[in-house]
Amino acid sequence: MLIDIDFKQSKIDECNNRLKEQCTDEEHQKYSIGMENICDRIRKGVYYTGLSFEHDIELFSDNEVVGKWDSFRSEVDYKDNYGVCDNYEQVLSTYKGLYDPERKFVVSLAEIRKDEQPEQWGWRWEKWGEYIGLQNPQADYLFDEPEIERVFVYHIYEIE
């Protein structure tokens, strides 16, 4: 089943204090994080995040990620726990194993936008797992896609 992560302000403060001890004031201001920098909750257990949400979970909550580094594979869905989609609903409808009441999961989605891609060496389809969306990829790089403006890289984490 999908669960929410309970991020702890005390853990965020601890991280910022360690940062302050090791950096200049200017660096501390630039790199300090707040609760709003970690993620945006879309719905229970589903978050807009960066590409390394597992680190945020383990650093700033009391939860632990099971099967890190893509070792979890759903016995129900026979798919990897990461890939590319157009929206979170596609992930929820594709992975029926997310609704197993004996297990706990969260889903992260990192937006990848065409208008933010460099002309060369940008985001490539083949590096991020299976595409479960409805658009029609036609190029190797997102920058070169004639019709696709954005996608999301998703990752499913099992939580202890």
Side-chain angles (χ1 to χ4, degrees):
M1 80 180 128
L2 291 169
I3 65 162
D4 278 332
I5 299 296
D6 181 20
F7 291 102
K8 306 289 186 189
Q9 186 62 52
S10 62
K11 291 190 177 219
I12 295 169
D13 293 343
E14 181 182 318
C15 180
N16 285 330
N17 288 337
R18 282 195 310 263
L19 182 67
K20 189 173 187 171
E21 292 171 3
Q22 299 175 14
C23 297
T24 65
D25 287 342
E26 182 179 318
E27 290 170 324
H28 182 257
Q29 281 189 331
K30 182 177 180 180
Y31 297 113
S32 290
I33 63 166
M35 196 75 82
E36 70 281 357
N37 303 112
I38 296 174
C39 63
D40 290 322
R41 182 182 182 271
I42 303 167
R43 57 164 282 175
K44 185 173 188 171
V46 182
Y47 300 89
Y48 288 134
T49 70
L51 290 171
S52 299
F53 191 49
E54 72 273 13
H55 300 299
D56 294 333
I57 293 169
E58 293 193 338
L59 281 172
F60 306 123
S61 79
D62 292 330
N63 299 103
E64 289 188 33
V65 175
V66 179
K68 287 190 266 191
W69 314 119
D70 308 323
S71 62
F72 165 75
R73 191 169 174 85
S74 171
E75 293 83 5
V76 175
D77 303 305
Y78 302 103
K79 291 184 174 294
D80 289 321
N81 63 326
Y82 66 97
V84 182
C85 62
D86 302 326
N87 57 60
Y88 76 89
E89 291 96 344
Q90 292 168 336
V91 178
L92 300 183
S93 64
T94 299
Y95 289 85
K96 304 299 182 205
L98 291 173
Y99 302 100
D100 181 343
E102 303 298 315
R103 299 169 79 182
K104 300 173 192 170
F105 299 100
V106 295
V107 177
S108 70
L109 294 115
E111 183 180 34
I112 310 297
R113 297 179 51 89
K114 178 179 176 175
D115 63 2
E116 295 174 350
Q117 297 300 305
E119 289 186 37
Q120 293 184 344
W121 313 113
W123 189 89
R124 296 175 71 181
W125 293 98
E126 70 183 43
K127 305 273 184 184
W128 298 99
E130 181 183 358
Y131 175 60
I132 62 172
L134 299 177
Q135 301 181 83
N136 183 26
Q138 300 173 43
D140 210 17
Y141 291 90
L142 183 59
F143 180 86
D144 298 322
E145 287 292 347
E147 300 172 2
I148 299 174
E149 295 300 318
R150 76 172 188 176
V151 292
F152 292 91
V153 172
Y154 69 87
H155 204 123
I156 299 168
Y157 300 99
E158 186 168 7
I159 303 297
E160 276 187 347

